Amino acid sequence: MPSKKKGGPDTIASLRSVVPSIFDAAQRSATGHRKHAVALHTLQTQCHDVDAEELTGEDAFNKEFIRNLNKVLGIKKREPSADKVVKLVATFVQVSHELDMQAVAKAKQADDDVFSADTDVDTVSSRFVELLIKYLLQGFQAKEKLTRMRCCQIVAMSVTSLGEIDEQLYFDLIRKLTERIRDKEASIRVHAAIALSKLQSGEDEDGGQVTEALLGLLQHDPSAEVRRAVLLNIEKNPSTLPFVLERARDVDPTNRKCLFLKVMPPIDYHLLSIEDRERLLAAGVNDRDINVKRACVRMVGESWLTFAEENLLELTSSLDVVDSPVASKVLQALFTSYPEIPENLQFDNDTWDSLTPEMIFIIRSILEYYYERKDADQIDKHLPEVMKLAQLLESFGSKLENEENEELRPDFEFVIHQLLLIAKMSDFPDELGRRQMLTLMRKMILVPEIPENNIEAITDIIRKLSINEQDFIRIMVEVVSDVREMPSIVDSSVEQDAATEALLISMKSLMIIKYILQRCFDTLSEGSSMYGLLTECVVPAVQSSELVLQDYGIECLALCCLLDKNLAIDNLALFVQAALEGKNELRTKGLSALLDLAFMYGISDLATSVGSASDFVGILYEEFANGDEKTQAMVGEGLARLLYAHRIPEPAKVLEELLVLYYHPSTSSNYALRQCLTYFFPAFSYMAHDNQAVMQQVTVSTICRLGGVLKQQTGDAQNGATQGQAAQQIVAWSDPRILEAISAMNSGSSGSRSTVRMGGYTQLGIDTLKRVFKAAPATRKVLVQTLNKLALDESSPMTQLQQLFVLTRALTQQELITDMVTRNALARFEASLLKLLDIEKAEDVNLESWLEEPEMASVFEFVASLDGEGEHDEADGANSSDEDAGDLEADSDLDSPVRPAQSLLLGGLTVGSAMPVPMSLRSRSPLKRAREERIEELTREIDELLDSDDEDNDDDGNSYMSAEE
């Protein structure tokens, strides 16, 4: 520690020991950084006093400081000792600036005229800061990324304490930082963005350029850490706030969480428009990450409620509760996180007599909160009597009927709807209140202009007031009859007005019938009153020429079919026609009806109306080819549900189609479909062993089909999965080890793999190897690399492991695989098989004993059949390969046949007779073996000639050499 006495020559001489000791102490602990910074400043002042005119002592200090600083500039990121030294440098700059400001303040107090005109004073600290910044700016262009990162880090930590610096240096600093925010290293861009955000200024001419550069990073930088750095440090003003709010939809959950926890709480929500508040809250409460959702609720409960002066009514008034789709979720989440809020609220008679949309919304939200938790005491505490509710409904109904101001009518309709939702939560213990409420509901549903959501709420209330389902149906059938018999309110002489009124009455009747059917569960019979509504209202609507009536009619008919299986079978052709030939909503409802009925009764029972189960599924396949993205997503989700519920007789074919569709380039922009299938495939595969067996069954064929499908990727679709990536994912869904682990985790026991379950997984490897012999070159490479992903173990059946080895050995000795990577992959797989078979090397395999095993006959027969196919291909010639390649692109279901020269198999693996082939011949290919046999035959002939005529030795020798060549 340097002394505070005036410096001398000894001070400069001690720099080599004092400065390194301070740096060494600083990197050991971060607690004494300010003390070390003060010591450095004292030493700097003493060095300056040695030669105040020539500044030789000051230069010596600067050189020693830079020398020690250089030692940490090349140290890797997140190294604690280096980070502490960087913090020491930033603290030193900060302390120097603070001491300079204190000196200026003291000088002003001593003499008011001193520095009164100019506060830009040249001091030891200011000269050091300029020297340091200029030196670090040189490091911005360094070749080593660590040096660039450390220089940007020091500048970012020191920039707020720079004080007054040269104007040219200031603009150089901005220019160099702007260059570094485009650095290829994300860590450098982070520190450059932090430093640049601290140099924003609305008064400077470059202030707009700096903000624009930071907004570009915030929107488009691929690194989540860089976007987070800008999000936390950029100046929040009306021009940047819209871009900040966009981070509520950031792909990184940490960034979304930071927005709600750190960025938005200090900002008064009154500065945001109602639309911005709605979008922000919708993104937060609907976020799939629970931590982001909690951060959003915390922002509302701790920040927004504080700005609203702890007044929930004022906070709710800042939201458009009448049309808001998210306000209810926000209050429910707020009450869940802060249960003391609903507990402390009380509603007296004055509150009920002076209801506003915001107040009734709060009351309904609180009652719904307690209703979901079945807290009867709190519900009874806040819920008014049934008679009071009926009076309020009548009162607001009269106000709505007499209100002429169209701007106020939505508020009255909203209050009535909230009161109906409150009435649904009542148990109606008072018999007099029950009767009055039932009479009022029947009266309200007859109102000509009643909204559809109120019809649904009234239907729920009547269902709750009814004794049983038959009583409910009886009451609602009477209501429908009353609606259809309502007196006309238009001039009957005007034909167009009368037709419009009749159309509206029919629509209202069908709405009521729809809500009745949605709340019925008893089987529909011909003698029931609902059957009468079917024939009088639903069937005529289906046959109507009005599209809107057709839509409602198809929907009601589908609901009727869900209650009667025979009715569903009889009308299935009608739903098929609506799905294939309908327009817009009619087509969607026809598809929805087909999928719902298939889920209820199964495809096998319904398929008789359209032919077979394959025909029924084929109708759904047509929608994949001809439908829009919304229709594709609906059909994909429906088929996934049917597979999951085991409602499809041949699940393998449908599963394969869904897999191909999932990876198909044409669905790359259909996010709804892909999100559904992303959840479905692992859920289906890991639910049961039978499901996973289906996945294993279609794995190989799906991978081969994808070889042709993924060749069509162009443009943006190139970012999709490759054939190899798709293969790895499908094999993972077929892995029984994952299923066992999930089952063990759910049951709390240790999972064990059985031989039977691993048998299906091993069979997948056998099917893969068999397909390799016939697959296209690109697909062959993927299939071979997939073999090593199977991760077979000792629980695999021994016979299947032997079959795998026979096929692998046959493939190894062919010329099918030409690239070294694939050959090495196949060699690794063969080595793993030898290890599982407990055999040291391939030559030790006893194929004679395997030939006698009945279970091995199929694999040897397969190899023999390939040998015959190879001879046939060889006769056809090699010119067919181009045509085969074209066929592969035209039809992804087919693979290119094996080239003729590649189809001849290992003689030792071909079962041509009952006697096993000698091991000496099994190690060579048929072509090579035939050549060697011919050489041996010629050799024997030459030997005979040599024995008979010694004079022809030379000629025989030449013949021998010629034969050998």
PDB file of all heavy atoms in Angstrom, residues 729-752:
ATOM      1  N   GLN A 729     -34.476 -39.304 -35.103  1.00  0.00           N
ATOM      2  CA  GLN A 729     -35.619 -38.995 -34.254  1.00  0.00           C
ATOM      3  C   GLN A 729     -36.625 -40.135 -34.234  1.00  0.00           C
ATOM      4  O   GLN A 729     -37.155 -40.495 -33.176  1.00  0.00           O
ATOM      5  CB  GLN A 729     -36.284 -37.713 -34.756  1.00  0.00           C
ATOM      6  CG  GLN A 729     -37.236 -37.081 -33.751  1.00  0.00           C
ATOM      7  CD  GLN A 729     -37.656 -35.690 -34.178  1.00  0.00           C
ATOM      8  OE1 GLN A 729     -37.814 -35.426 -35.366  1.00  0.00           O
ATOM      9  NE2 GLN A 729     -37.840 -34.798 -33.231  1.00  0.00           N
ATOM     10  N   ILE A 730     -36.895 -40.728 -35.402  1.00  0.00           N
ATOM     11  CA  ILE A 730     -37.858 -41.832 -35.462  1.00  0.00           C
ATOM     12  C   ILE A 730     -37.329 -43.044 -34.708  1.00  0.00           C
ATOM     13  O   ILE A 730     -38.085 -43.736 -34.008  1.00  0.00           O
ATOM     14  CB  ILE A 730     -38.167 -42.179 -36.933  1.00  0.00           C
ATOM     15  CG1 ILE A 730     -38.811 -40.979 -37.633  1.00  0.00           C
ATOM     16  CG2 ILE A 730     -39.083 -43.379 -37.019  1.00  0.00           C
ATOM     17  CD1 ILE A 730     -38.991 -41.176 -39.128  1.00  0.00           C
ATOM     18  N   VAL A 731     -36.036 -43.320 -34.828  1.00  0.00           N
ATOM     19  CA  VAL A 731     -35.444 -44.440 -34.082  1.00  0.00           C
ATOM     20  C   VAL A 731     -35.536 -44.193 -32.580  1.00  0.00           C
ATOM     21  O   VAL A 731     -35.765 -45.130 -31.795  1.00  0.00           O
ATOM     22  CB  VAL A 731     -33.981 -44.653 -34.528  1.00  0.00           C
ATOM     23  CG1 VAL A 731     -33.259 -45.618 -33.602  1.00  0.00           C
ATOM     24  CG2 VAL A 731     -33.946 -45.194 -35.960  1.00  0.00           C
ATOM     25  N   ALA A 732     -35.381 -42.952 -32.156  1.00  0.00           N
ATOM     26  CA  ALA A 732     -35.510 -42.636 -30.726  1.00  0.00           C
ATOM     27  C   ALA A 732     -36.927 -42.898 -30.234  1.00  0.00           C
ATOM     28  O   ALA A 732     -37.132 -43.391 -29.118  1.00  0.00           O
ATOM     29  CB  ALA A 732     -35.125 -41.177 -30.475  1.00  0.00           C
ATOM     30  N   TRP A 733     -37.931 -42.598 -31.054  1.00  0.00           N
ATOM     31  CA  TRP A 733     -39.312 -42.898 -30.666  1.00  0.00           C
ATOM     32  C   TRP A 733     -39.564 -44.408 -30.621  1.00  0.00           C
ATOM     33  O   TRP A 733     -40.498 -44.855 -29.947  1.00  0.00           O
ATOM     34  CB  TRP A 733     -40.284 -42.250 -31.659  1.00  0.00           C
ATOM     35  CG  TRP A 733     -40.319 -40.752 -31.563  1.00  0.00           C
ATOM     36  CD1 TRP A 733     -40.075 -40.008 -30.452  1.00  0.00           C
ATOM     37  CD2 TRP A 733     -40.587 -39.815 -32.621  1.00  0.00           C
ATOM     38  NE1 TRP A 733     -40.171 -38.666 -30.751  1.00  0.00           N
ATOM     39  CE2 TRP A 733     -40.491 -38.517 -32.072  1.00  0.00           C
ATOM     40  CE3 TRP A 733     -40.901 -39.951 -33.968  1.00  0.00           C
ATOM     41  CZ2 TRP A 733     -40.707 -37.368 -32.829  1.00  0.00           C
ATOM     42  CZ3 TRP A 733     -41.116 -38.805 -34.718  1.00  0.00           C
ATOM     43  CH2 TRP A 733     -41.026 -37.537 -34.159  1.00  0.00           C
ATOM     44  N   SER A 734     -38.728 -45.183 -31.296  1.00  0.00           N
ATOM     45  CA  SER A 734     -38.877 -46.644 -31.299  1.00  0.00           C
ATOM     46  C   SER A 734     -38.063 -47.326 -30.214  1.00  0.00           C
ATOM     47  O   SER A 734     -38.091 -48.558 -30.109  1.00  0.00           O
ATOM     48  CB  SER A 734     -38.447 -47.205 -32.671  1.00  0.00           C
ATOM     49  OG  SER A 734     -39.161 -46.597 -33.720  1.00  0.00           O
ATOM     50  N   ASP A 735     -37.352 -46.578 -29.404  1.00  0.00           N
ATOM     51  CA  ASP A 735     -36.431 -47.139 -28.415  1.00  0.00           C
ATOM     52  C   ASP A 735     -37.206 -47.603 -27.179  1.00  0.00           C
ATOM     53  O   ASP A 735     -37.804 -46.790 -26.467  1.00  0.00           O
ATOM     54  CB  ASP A 735     -35.403 -46.073 -28.016  1.00  0.00           C
ATOM     55  CG  ASP A 735     -34.236 -46.680 -27.250  1.00  0.00           C
ATOM     56  OD1 ASP A 735     -34.377 -47.801 -26.734  1.00  0.00           O
ATOM     57  OD2 ASP A 735     -33.184 -46.025 -27.156  1.00  0.00           O
ATOM     58  N   PRO A 736     -37.225 -48.908 -26.885  1.00  0.00           N
ATOM     59  CA  PRO A 736     -37.964 -49.391 -25.706  1.00  0.00           C
ATOM     60  C   PRO A 736     -37.318 -48.982 -24.385  1.00  0.00           C
ATOM     61  O   PRO A 736     -37.981 -48.990 -23.348  1.00  0.00           O
ATOM     62  CB  PRO A 736     -37.958 -50.914 -25.886  1.00  0.00           C
ATOM     63  CG  PRO A 736     -36.757 -51.186 -26.727  1.00  0.00           C
ATOM     64  CD  PRO A 736     -36.601 -50.007 -27.637  1.00  0.00           C
ATOM     65  N   ARG A 737     -36.046 -48.624 -24.409  1.00  0.00           N
ATOM     66  CA  ARG A 737     -35.394 -48.203 -23.159  1.00  0.00           C
ATOM     67  C   ARG A 737     -36.009 -46.925 -22.634  1.00  0.00           C
ATOM     68  O   ARG A 737     -36.183 -46.756 -21.424  1.00  0.00           O
ATOM     69  CB  ARG A 737     -33.897 -48.014 -23.412  1.00  0.00           C
ATOM     70  CG  ARG A 737     -33.176 -49.270 -23.864  1.00  0.00           C
ATOM     71  CD  ARG A 737     -31.760 -48.940 -24.288  1.00  0.00           C
ATOM     72  NE  ARG A 737     -31.774 -47.982 -25.395  1.00  0.00           N
ATOM     73  CZ  ARG A 737     -30.691 -47.368 -25.854  1.00  0.00           C
ATOM     74  NH1 ARG A 737     -29.518 -47.615 -25.309  1.00  0.00           N
ATOM     75  NH2 ARG A 737     -30.778 -46.521 -26.864  1.00  0.00           N
ATOM     76  N   ILE A 738     -36.350 -45.993 -23.523  1.00  0.00           N
ATOM     77  CA  ILE A 738     -36.985 -44.751 -23.083  1.00  0.00           C
ATOM     78  C   ILE A 738     -38.365 -45.037 -22.514  1.00  0.00           C
ATOM     79  O   ILE A 738     -38.763 -44.457 -21.489  1.00  0.00           O
ATOM     80  CB  ILE A 738     -37.058 -43.761 -24.259  1.00  0.00           C
ATOM     81  CG1 ILE A 738     -35.665 -43.480 -24.807  1.00  0.00           C
ATOM     82  CG2 ILE A 738     -37.748 -42.474 -23.836  1.00  0.00           C
ATOM     83  CD1 ILE A 738     -35.658 -42.549 -26.007  1.00  0.00           C
ATOM     84  N   LEU A 739     -39.104 -45.934 -23.169  1.00  0.00           N
ATOM     85  CA  LEU A 739     -40.427 -46.307 -22.664  1.00  0.00           C
ATOM     86  C   LEU A 739     -40.334 -46.928 -21.279  1.00  0.00           C
ATOM     87  O   LEU A 739     -41.126 -46.603 -20.381  1.00  0.00           O
ATOM     88  CB  LEU A 739     -41.101 -47.269 -23.651  1.00  0.00           C
ATOM     89  CG  LEU A 739     -42.442 -47.858 -23.214  1.00  0.00           C
ATOM     90  CD1 LEU A 739     -43.449 -46.760 -22.946  1.00  0.00           C
ATOM     91  CD2 LEU A 739     -42.964 -48.819 -24.278  1.00  0.00           C
ATOM     92  N   GLU A 740     -39.360 -47.815 -21.085  1.00  0.00           N
ATOM     93  CA  GLU A 740     -39.182 -48.435 -19.770  1.00  0.00           C
ATOM     94  C   GLU A 740     -38.809 -47.397 -18.721  1.00  0.00           C
ATOM     95  O   GLU A 740     -39.283 -47.451 -17.575  1.00  0.00           O
ATOM     96  CB  GLU A 740     -38.104 -49.516 -19.857  1.00  0.00           C
ATOM     97  CG  GLU A 740     -38.446 -50.694 -20.760  1.00  0.00           C
ATOM     98  CD  GLU A 740     -39.559 -51.544 -20.185  1.00  0.00           C
ATOM     99  OE1 GLU A 740     -39.916 -51.343 -19.007  1.00  0.00           O
ATOM    100  OE2 GLU A 740     -40.080 -52.405 -20.911  1.00  0.00           O
ATOM    101  N   ALA A 741     -37.964 -46.441 -19.090  1.00  0.00           N
ATOM    102  CA  ALA A 741     -37.560 -45.407 -18.132  1.00  0.00           C
ATOM    103  C   ALA A 741     -38.744 -44.537 -17.724  1.00  0.00           C
ATOM    104  O   ALA A 741     -38.917 -44.199 -16.548  1.00  0.00           O
ATOM    105  CB  ALA A 741     -36.450 -44.547 -18.732  1.00  0.00           C
ATOM    106  N   ILE A 742     -39.591 -44.184 -18.703  1.00  0.00           N
ATOM    107  CA  ILE A 742     -40.772 -43.372 -18.385  1.00  0.00           C
ATOM    108  C   ILE A 742     -41.749 -44.154 -17.515  1.00  0.00           C
ATOM    109  O   ILE A 742     -42.309 -43.627 -16.555  1.00  0.00           O
ATOM    110  CB  ILE A 742     -41.437 -42.900 -19.689  1.00  0.00           C
ATOM    111  CG1 ILE A 742     -40.507 -41.939 -20.437  1.00  0.00           C
ATOM    112  CG2 ILE A 742     -42.767 -42.230 -19.404  1.00  0.00           C
ATOM    113  CD1 ILE A 742     -41.029 -41.505 -21.789  1.00  0.00           C
ATOM    114  N   SER A 743     -41.947 -45.410 -17.852  1.00  0.00           N
ATOM    115  CA  SER A 743     -42.851 -46.249 -17.058  1.00  0.00           C
ATOM    116  C   SER A 743     -42.339 -46.405 -15.632  1.00  0.00           C
ATOM    117  O   SER A 743     -43.113 -46.353 -14.672  1.00  0.00           O
ATOM    118  CB  SER A 743     -43.017 -47.619 -17.713  1.00  0.00           C
ATOM    119  OG  SER A 743     -43.523 -47.496 -19.025  1.00  0.00           O
ATOM    120  N   ALA A 744     -41.030 -46.595 -15.491  1.00  0.00           N
ATOM    121  CA  ALA A 744     -40.446 -46.734 -14.153  1.00  0.00           C
ATOM    122  C   ALA A 744     -40.567 -45.435 -13.372  1.00  0.00           C
ATOM    123  O   ALA A 744     -40.840 -45.451 -12.161  1.00  0.00           O
ATOM    124  CB  ALA A 744     -38.978 -47.148 -14.277  1.00  0.00           C
ATOM    125  N   MET A 745     -40.388 -44.317 -14.037  1.00  0.00           N
ATOM    126  CA  MET A 745     -40.498 -43.033 -13.355  1.00  0.00           C
ATOM    127  C   MET A 745     -41.933 -42.782 -12.890  1.00  0.00           C
ATOM    128  O   MET A 745     -42.165 -42.283 -11.785  1.00  0.00           O
ATOM    129  CB  MET A 745     -40.050 -41.916 -14.295  1.00  0.00           C
ATOM    130  CG  MET A 745     -40.105 -40.526 -13.701  1.00  0.00           C
ATOM    131  SD  MET A 745     -39.502 -39.263 -14.847  1.00  0.00           S
ATOM    132  CE  MET A 745     -40.704 -39.448 -16.186  1.00  0.00           C
ATOM    133  N   ASN A 746     -42.909 -43.157 -13.717  1.00  0.00           N
ATOM    134  CA  ASN A 746     -44.308 -42.943 -13.341  1.00  0.00           C
ATOM    135  C   ASN A 746     -44.760 -43.880 -12.237  1.00  0.00           C
ATOM    136  O   ASN A 746     -45.575 -43.516 -11.394  1.00  0.00           O
ATOM    137  CB  ASN A 746     -45.205 -43.117 -14.570  1.00  0.00           C
ATOM    138  CG  ASN A 746     -44.964 -42.042 -15.614  1.00  0.00           C
ATOM    139  OD1 ASN A 746     -44.525 -40.944 -15.297  1.00  0.00           O
ATOM    140  ND2 ASN A 746     -45.249 -42.352 -16.871  1.00  0.00           N
ATOM    141  N   SER A 747     -44.223 -45.110 -12.245  1.00  0.00           N
ATOM    142  CA  SER A 747     -44.631 -46.093 -11.234  1.00  0.00           C
ATOM    143  C   SER A 747     -43.773 -46.051  -9.985  1.00  0.00           C
ATOM    144  O   SER A 747     -44.121 -46.641  -8.972  1.00  0.00           O
ATOM    145  CB  SER A 747     -44.601 -47.499 -11.833  1.00  0.00           C
ATOM    146  OG  SER A 747     -43.282 -47.850 -12.238  1.00  0.00           O
ATOM    147  N   GLY A 748     -42.624 -45.391 -10.073  1.00  0.00           N
ATOM    148  CA  GLY A 748     -41.738 -45.306  -8.918  1.00  0.00           C
ATOM    149  C   GLY A 748     -40.889 -46.528  -8.703  1.00  0.00           C
ATOM    150  O   GLY A 748     -40.275 -46.688  -7.647  1.00  0.00           O
ATOM    151  N   SER A 749     -40.834 -47.420  -9.692  1.00  0.00           N
ATOM    152  CA  SER A 749     -40.022 -48.636  -9.579  1.00  0.00           C
ATOM    153  C   SER A 749     -38.911 -48.585 -10.606  1.00  0.00           C
ATOM    154  O   SER A 749     -38.894 -47.766 -11.516  1.00  0.00           O
ATOM    155  CB  SER A 749     -40.892 -49.884  -9.791  1.00  0.00           C
ATOM    156  OG  SER A 749     -41.481 -49.852 -11.076  1.00  0.00           O
ATOM    157  N   SER A 750     -37.966 -49.498 -10.466  1.00  0.00           N
ATOM    158  CA  SER A 750     -36.839 -49.566 -11.403  1.00  0.00           C
ATOM    159  C   SER A 750     -37.260 -50.351 -12.629  1.00  0.00           C
ATOM    160  O   SER A 750     -37.809 -51.451 -12.535  1.00  0.00           O
ATOM    161  CB  SER A 750     -35.635 -50.237 -10.741  1.00  0.00           C
ATOM    162  OG  SER A 750     -35.977 -51.525 -10.294  1.00  0.00           O
ATOM    163  N   GLY A 751     -37.038 -49.781 -13.805  1.00  0.00           N
ATOM    164  CA  GLY A 751     -37.424 -50.433 -15.054  1.00  0.00           C
ATOM    165  C   GLY A 751     -36.460 -51.530 -15.444  1.00  0.00           C
ATOM    166  O   GLY A 751     -35.267 -51.476 -15.174  1.00  0.00           O
ATOM    167  N   SER A 752     -36.970 -52.544 -16.113  1.00  0.00           N
ATOM    168  CA  SER A 752     -36.128 -53.643 -16.615  1.00  0.00           C
ATOM    169  C   SER A 752     -36.571 -53.969 -18.029  1.00  0.00           C
ATOM    170  O   SER A 752     -37.759 -54.091 -18.303  1.00  0.00           O
ATOM    171  CB  SER A 752     -36.261 -54.879 -15.719  1.00  0.00           C
ATOM    172  OG  SER A 752     -37.594 -55.310 -15.675  1.00  0.00           O
TER     173      SER A 752
END
